[in-house]
């Protein structure tokens, strides 16, 4: 059964840090993975991706504050978040394995999400 399980979401104050994890039930080596988020009343948006060619992209809003990493030995994706802002409040979703283009294709698998709440 294909599963992605996120963890690490919490409530923190602005300026704080969190580290999200996403454990896959399958081998992720050669599979691109990424983090998306959805805030209340807003559409899901890309946060960061680590593609199968090891290219990495970040949303402009998180550049310099968030760091994505992938540990293939543990089939786990991480998102280290620092200098958190209230606007980072959202449900964060893990995604894996693009269809088609390794940099732009849609992800096949999605986790259930983990809540991050940042208060001022």
């Amino acid at each position: 059964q294909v599963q992605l399980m996120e963890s690490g979401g919490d409530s923190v104050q602005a300026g704080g840090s969190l580290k999200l994890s996403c454990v896959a039930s399958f081998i992720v080596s050669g599979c691109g993975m990424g983090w998306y988020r959805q805030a209340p009343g807003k559409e899901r948006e890309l946060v960061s991706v680590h593609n199968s060619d090891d290219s990495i992209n970040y949303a402009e809003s998180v550049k310099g504050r968030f760091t994505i990493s992938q540990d293939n030995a543990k089939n786990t994706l991480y998102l280290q978040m620092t200098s958190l802002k209230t606007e980072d409040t959202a449900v964060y979703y893990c995604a894996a394995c693009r269809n088609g283009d390794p940099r732009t294709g849609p992800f096949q698998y999605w986790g259930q999400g983990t809540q991050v709440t940042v208060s001022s």
Side-chain angles (χ1 to χ4, degrees):
Q1 184 179 0
V2 173
Q3 269 193 316
L4 295 172
M5 184 67 68
E6 303 100 333
S7 63
D10 204 345
S11 295
V12 297
Q13 289 197 321
S17 299
L18 282 176
K19 186 173 185 177
L20 305 183
S21 300
C22 171
V23 180
S25 63
F26 53 94
I27 295 173
V28 299
S29 176
C31 225
M33 299 184 76
W35 290 99
Y36 287 72
R37 67 186 180 187
Q38 187 166 19
K42 295 187 177 182
E43 292 189 355
R44 188 176 297 187
E45 64 174 0
L46 170 73
V47 176
S48 180
V49 291
H50 178 262
N51 293 313
S52 57
D53 62 0
D54 284 331
S55 61
I56 289 176
N57 292 312
Y58 294 97
E60 286 296 325
S61 60
V62 307
K63 277 184 180 178
R65 300 188 298 121
F66 291 9
T67 303
I68 193 171
S69 59
Q70 184 170 330
D71 186 338
N72 290 335
K74 297 181 179 180
N75 295 323
T76 301
L77 181 73
Y78 301 99
L79 185 69
Q80 177 68 55
M81 305 186 294
T82 62
S83 302
L84 283 161
K85 304 176 181 180
T86 55
E87 51 263 44
D88 295 319
T89 294
V91 177
Y92 284 69
Y93 297 91
C94 174
C97 304
R98 292 188 186 273
N99 272 321
D101 191 288
R103 290 193 178 191
T104 61
F107 283 102
Q108 297 182 62
Y109 309 116
W110 292 84
Q112 293 299 307
T114 185
Q115 176 70 47
V116 172
T117 302
V118 185
S119 59
S120 58

